[in-house]
Amino acid sequence: MRSTMPDEMHTPQPPEAAPPARLLRLPEVIARVGLRRSAIYQRMSEGRFPRSRSLGPKCAVWVEAEIDEWIREVSRISN
């Protein structure tokens, strides 16, 4: 026989809770934005592209939501 947990034991997630941030490595960022590595780093240094985060000496990542927002912003400017 299967036992069920009482309702007090469940901690439901609030419906407005955002999903956890996803981190993207450089090849995925390149594929999403259509820029080469050098262009991404150049624009980062100029403040025109989201900054990467360092997870270690040879591991840079970007926050997916920041890349998605940058793409939306470029689309708005282009139209």
Side-chain angles (χ1 to χ4, degrees):
M1 182 185 269
R2 206 170 119 208
S3 65
T4 59
M5 297 178 66
D7 287 337
E8 304 88 49
M9 300 295 288
H10 295 299
T11 53
Q13 290 283 65
E16 68 276 353
R22 185 163 174 256
L23 303 176
L24 308 176
R25 299 291 301 268
L26 183 59
E28 188 168 355
V29 173
I30 290 171
R32 284 184 178 215
V33 302
L35 296 172
R36 292 181 181 222
R37 177 187 184 278
S38 58
I40 289 171
Y41 281 99
Q42 177 66 40
R43 289 176 188 217
M44 276 177 38
S45 71
E46 297 168 352
R48 299 187 306 133
F49 195 81
R51 304 288 300 178
S52 63
R53 306 325 198 265
S54 177
L55 294 184
K58 293 185 178 186
C59 183
V61 295
W62 285 259
V63 177
E64 181 180 40
E66 293 175 5
I67 297 300
D68 291 344
E69 178 57 32
W70 182 87
I71 292 168
R72 282 191 295 277
E73 185 63 30
V74 169
S75 296
R76 279 192 291 265
I77 293 170
S78 303
N79 292 331

